[in-house]
Amino acid sequence: KGVITNIDALIVSKVSNSLGSGRTSIDDKIDHGVGVFLNKQIGDIVNVGDTLCTLYYNKVEDNFNITEAFTIEEEEDKKSEK
């Protein structure tokens, strides 16, 4: 059990782009069916197995790890900071 303390938007955008939501060159086509939905936000309490985000894609790309975008601290750590 933990609390989401940060979501790295740059990592999320790079993953989304690699799935086709943006261009890396002027000739690339944008896939309007691609996107990332954040199921959890900063401050949300999460448990092992919770869905942090949902990826929408039309091509398989496996050279990323979207979970690296999420910083999760144990709930006890957050309580001791207060």
Side-chain angles (χ1 to χ4, degrees):
K1 193 172 189 178
V3 177
I4 296 176
T5 58
N6 187 48
I7 301 172
D8 189 326
L10 182 59
I11 293 174
V12 173
S13 68
K14 284 182 177 181
V15 168
S16 182
N17 190 59
S18 74
L19 293 172
S21 70
R23 293 185 175 108
T24 53
S25 71
I26 198 160
D27 297 328
D28 290 347
K29 292 185 180 182
I30 294 176
D31 185 343
H32 297 283
V34 170
V36 178
F37 178 80
L38 299 176
N39 297 80
K40 301 290 183 180
Q41 304 295 318
I42 294 173
D44 286 353
I45 296 172
V46 293
N47 295 296
V48 174
D50 283 356
T51 301
L52 302 177
C53 63
T54 304
L55 300 177
Y56 297 94
Y57 58 92
N58 292 310
K59 70 174 185 175
V60 177
E61 188 72 37
D62 62 354
N63 62 349
F64 64 85
N65 186 352
I66 189 74
T67 58
E68 292 175 358
F70 293 84
T71 303
I72 301 172
E73 295 182 12
E74 290 188 34
E75 197 170 18
E76 293 80 29
D77 293 343
K78 291 303 291 176
K79 288 180 182 176
S80 64
E81 290 179 10
K82 292 182 180 179

